[in-house]
Amino acid sequence: MAEVEETLKRIQSQKGVQGIIIVNAEGIPIKTTLDNSSTVQYAGLIHQSVMKARSTVRDIDPQNDLTFLRIRSKKNEIMIAPDKDYFLIVIQNPSD
Amino acid sequence: MRVCVQILRQFCFNSATKRIVEIPDLQWEKSQLNRNVACRFFFIWFPDLTELKLPVSDPNPSLCVCVLLTLQWDTDPSVLQLQSDSELGRKMQRLGATKITQVDFLPREVVLYCKETQTPITGTEEEDDEEIIDLEPALESDQQEEVDNKETREGYPGRELTEEEKQQILKSEEFLSFFDCSIRVMERALAEQSDIFFDYSGRDLEDKDGELQGGSSLSLSRLFYDEHWSKHRVITCLDWSPQYPELLVASYNNNEDAPHEPDGVALVWNMKFKKNTPEYVFHCQSPVVAVGFARFHPNLVVGGTYSGQIVLWDNRSHRRTPVQRTPLSAAAHTHPVYCVNVVGTQNANNLITVSTDGRMCSWTQPISTPWDFMELVYNKSKPVAVTGMAFPTGDVNNYVVGSEEGTVYTASRHGSKAGICEMFEGHQGPVTGLSCHNAVGPVDFSHLFVTSSFDWTVKLWSTKHNKPLYSFEDNADYIYDVMWSPVHPALFAAVDGMGRLDLWNLNSDTEVPTASVTVEGASALNRVRWASGGKEVAVGDSEGRLWIYDAGELAVPHSEDWARFARTLMEIKANRGDAEEEGLVELTP
């Protein structure tokens, strides 16, 4: 448990990383390094995006599945590692 | 536990009129209150009672009864005791702050953002209907909720998790394994910082960082160092993975500044991605002095420790501690095990370990007791204090060992001459490293080996002569390790205590190294290992830092190198023959 904390702290301190959120399969945040309102906003919206992306991949080929999602925007980049039960979301600013 | 309840005010809720009314002096039946108070607590907390104007109405209690109580917990296990204050209802009581919990609420209104994804159901089975789950608010009404989580938020799943639930999830096994895998992937993704939007027309062309010169010199490629696990520890051994050429394992000694941390640490580093943290962290209770990837078991890492135990780590399990370890018994090793080696073939392989008391053990999987062991003694008298062991390429029976006295011995595992065969004298200090010729080519040089020692020299030997063929004396400090290049027949690397890494190319020059570099900080370098492709060389130093150097053009063999080396060897032998005739015999210890 303490290792989880330590690892999150270490990643948070890497340059450019703005925040880390861990969400469960229903979109409820479990652990976060951002403030509450941002977390809830990100969690809800990203959860829907991931679900849509996953269903897109699956519809094209039912045996395929989503493994990683990267949303690159003008200001930052959101990287999501989805799993069966949890998502790991990291928001970073890559030009830093 | 006994609960003392003091009734302050008595109210009741008249469901007909939908009003809360106060009941003065309502007499409670003890049994009734027992049941009610034990099952349910009703609390309505008014910050200031004077503000609430209660209409006087029907004094008969209705379906819901609300009381304002203070609870005094007694440690006596007994029945509930009631104390009724006769002055109640007459004057305002001062309310003390009480922690309150809310249960049994009416379902609250939750505004949901219900945009369903329209997926056509055309005969393909949807195994996961996760898309639809979050649209239904999960209402478990018997769940305890914190007071401050009560705010409804627009557009998001209505259920919140309590702190307890979160902690529980964070500790669960499946979460930890998910976290382990996805953090690794995420770190690699974070480390790849290439800017795909780079616009060459708008700015000056900058050199991409990380572009190696790749010239005819040694250049630093990577530095691996972990703040937590590498600090204040000496790197004791290195090994490259035979299966994945980008992985290497380094073992570390104990950290004297941190007595509570495990004494022995082995870290697996990955060259392929730019992330600077180890792939795997393993530790054990005793300092690890030798480590290696198990050649035919790609998931296992073998460690030899200072206490004589052999430990096995498995990267499939999420444990950082060894999955197998040998018992500390007289049948196994009781001295530090400085050499571990897997020899054999896919189907018939053994783990060979040698400790400093001269005992050599052979192990099979699972390691519990060695199936074979042998005491390495010379002339049946004194055991050999082994500091290094090497097998020539392709040989599983004969091997070479170096000892603390400075002598080198050849030995064999089986056969009529099992044990120590011959003695090679030449070094005047303990032998720190030895390496058998590895490069395979048109000419066979597998009888050659090099040794390094505390006497500031590296010596070249052949198993056919018991005196060294040549001595390389360019260093001014203890030489800690030496290794032949796996691809170039005339190239070897040596590291010494002043932080120098030397590459000697015997085809160019035998007097001075062809390339030499000193690491930053000039800390003593303890180990050197070539990667299996022969392009990179890893050095470990006494500060826990692992430096990867790129040897560039130097390390690439050309087809005539073999023939040239054969000629070089002949010259060396000829010179040595002359030296002996002139009486310049090396002093034997």
Side-chain angles (χ1 to χ4, degrees), chain B residues 261-276:
Chain B
E261 296 275 327
D263 276 348
V265 168
L267 302 178
V268 177
W269 298 94
N270 192 334
M271 284 263 306
K272 194 163 156 189
F273 304 109
K274 296 201 182 71
K275 73 170 187 149
N276 272 327

Side-chain angles (χ1 to χ4, degrees), chain B residues 183-369:
Chain B
I183 272 291
R184 195 170 288 144
V185 173
M186 192 60 80
E187 280 199 280
R188 291 178 190 165
L190 276 172
E192 307 289 326
Q193 295 285 14
S194 57
D195 186 6
I196 57 176
F197 293 104
F198 192 83
D199 182 5
Y200 286 95
S201 62
R203 326 173 208 188
D204 295 333
L205 263 170
E206 296 156 21
D207 287 341
K208 283 202 330 231
D209 53 42
E211 195 103 69
L212 300 169
Q213 300 307 49
S216 59
S217 61
L218 272 184
S219 58
L220 177 63
S221 164
R222 297 288 296 268
L223 163 62
F224 288 122
Y225 180 75
D226 184 71
E227 265 308 310
H228 184 204
W229 293 107
S230 305
K231 208 170 189 169
H232 298 309
R233 293 180 192 254
V234 177
I235 294 190
T236 49
C237 193
L238 294 175
D239 190 33
W240 289 86
S241 164
Q243 200 194 26
Y244 296 109
E246 65 264 18
L247 290 183
L248 76 153
V249 64
S251 62
Y252 297 78
N253 212 344
N254 60 333
N255 183 350
E256 275 142 17
D257 291 343
H260 300 294
E261 296 275 327
D263 276 348
V265 168
L267 302 178
V268 177
W269 298 94
N270 192 334
M271 284 263 306
K272 194 163 156 189
F273 304 109
K274 296 201 182 71
K275 73 170 187 149
N276 272 327
T277 46
E279 280 286 323
Y280 297 103
V281 177
F282 299 123
H283 48 72
C284 70
Q285 283 313 105
S286 167
V288 185
V289 289
V291 78
F293 280 98
R295 187 177 308 278
F296 302 104
H297 303 276
N299 288 314
L300 299 181
V301 176
V302 186
T305 64
Y306 193 74
S307 61
Q309 265 190 333
I310 315 291
V311 291
L312 269 185
W313 289 284
D314 192 332
N315 71 354
R316 287 168 295 198
S317 80
H318 290 283
R319 287 169 54 187
R320 291 178 164 192
T321 47
V323 293
Q324 282 186 53
R325 70 191 85 180
T326 61
L328 283 167
S329 76
H333 294 289
T334 48
H335 278 66
V337 178
Y338 276 105
C339 332
V340 294
N341 224 333
V342 176
V343 294
T345 59
Q346 174 72 38
N347 298 322
N349 52 70
N350 284 311
L351 173 66
I352 312 280
T353 58
V354 191
S355 59
T356 52
D357 58 354
R359 175 179 283 243
M360 187 190 84
C361 294
S362 307
W363 312 78
T364 51
Q365 272 267 52
I367 49 174
S368 51
T369 47

Side-chain angles (χ1 to χ4, degrees), chain B residues 148-173:
Chain B
D148 46 353
N149 275 352
K150 258 185 37 106
E151 313 145 38
T152 40
R153 288 183 189 85
E154 286 247 342
Y156 305 116
R159 194 178 91 146
E160 295 280 340
L161 291 177
T162 61
E163 279 305 312
E164 279 168 29
E165 285 192 327
K166 289 184 189 178
Q167 292 293 328
Q168 217 167 347
I169 292 181
L170 287 170
K171 287 199 184 82
S172 70
E173 196 50 49

Side-chain angles (χ1 to χ4, degrees), chain B residues 559-578:
Chain B
S559 47
E560 68 266 14
D561 276 324
W562 271 266
R564 277 179 71 185
F565 189 50
R567 283 198 300 272
T568 316
L569 263 187
M570 281 184 359
E571 280 172 26
I572 292 176
K573 282 186 194 155
N575 290 341
R576 191 174 137 265
D578 292 343

